[in-house]
């Protein structure tokens, strides 16, 4: 199975930036759709962004458009989430997810494997 490890989380003030990384163990990483989700305490897990297998297509939830950028480096088996202009409401545990068939849907159910999560805290 595919193992995913997130890193790069931390605490920042509102308006700051953070870059999350997700390293995958799969040998066919370039065939996977990848997504980022987040979950705040007491709330449902929420879709954030996703990217097609080649990186040619990206999708974002409305609340992060213009602030977050998802990219991937298939040579490094890594997906990134660059987060700029952070807001307190972005505070959550962020998870990366992998869809073996190449899907990059907003629906959590299409993803086969999930990372352990990394905490992002944004103070006002």
């Amino acid at each position: 199975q595919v193992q995913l490890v997130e890193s790069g989380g931390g605490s920042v003030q509102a308006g700051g930036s953070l870059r999350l990384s997700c390293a995958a163990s799969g040998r066919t990483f370039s065939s996977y759709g990848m997504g980022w989700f987040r979950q705040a305490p007491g709330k449902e897990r929420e879709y954030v962004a996703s990217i097609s297998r080649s990186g040619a297509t990206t999708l974002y939830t409305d609340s992060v458009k213009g602030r977050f950028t998802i990219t991937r480096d298939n040579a490094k088996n890594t997906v990134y989430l660059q987060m700029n202009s952070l807001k307190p409401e972005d505070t959550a545990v962020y998870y990366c997810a992998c869809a073996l068939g190449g899907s990059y849907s907003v629906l959590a159910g299409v993803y086969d494997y999930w990372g352990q999560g990394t905490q992002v805290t944004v103070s006002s």
Side-chain angles (χ1 to χ4, degrees):
Q1 58 182 1
V2 177
Q3 294 183 43
L4 304 171
V5 180
E6 301 99 331
S7 61
S11 298
V12 297
Q13 291 192 317
S17 297
L18 214 52
R19 188 195 194 202
L20 306 183
S21 298
C22 174
S25 64
R27 295 191 299 168
T28 55
F29 179 76
S30 63
S31 69
Y32 306 156
M34 299 294 295
W36 285 98
F37 290 74
R38 65 188 181 187
Q39 188 166 27
K43 290 196 171 185
E44 185 179 337
R45 187 169 297 186
E46 174 191 24
Y47 169 85
V48 177
S50 54
I51 189 166
S52 62
R53 64 187 75 190
S54 69
T57 306
T58 58
L59 299 172
Y60 302 90
T61 192
D62 286 344
S63 64
V64 308
K65 285 182 179 178
R67 300 189 298 121
F68 291 12
T69 303
I70 184 172
T71 57
R72 68 191 297 163
D73 186 340
N74 287 342
K76 293 183 177 293
N77 275 207
T78 303
V79 173
Y80 305 94
L81 185 68
Q82 178 66 48
M83 304 184 294
N84 298 326
S85 301
L86 283 162
K87 304 174 180 179
E89 49 262 49
D90 295 318
T91 295
V93 176
Y94 283 69
Y95 300 89
C96 67
C98 164
L100 299 181
S103 299
Y104 53 102
S105 174
V106 302
L107 301 176
V110 309
Y111 297 93
D112 301 292
Y113 296 98
W114 296 78
Q116 83 288 351
T118 186
Q119 177 71 48
V120 171
T121 302
V122 185
S123 60
S124 59

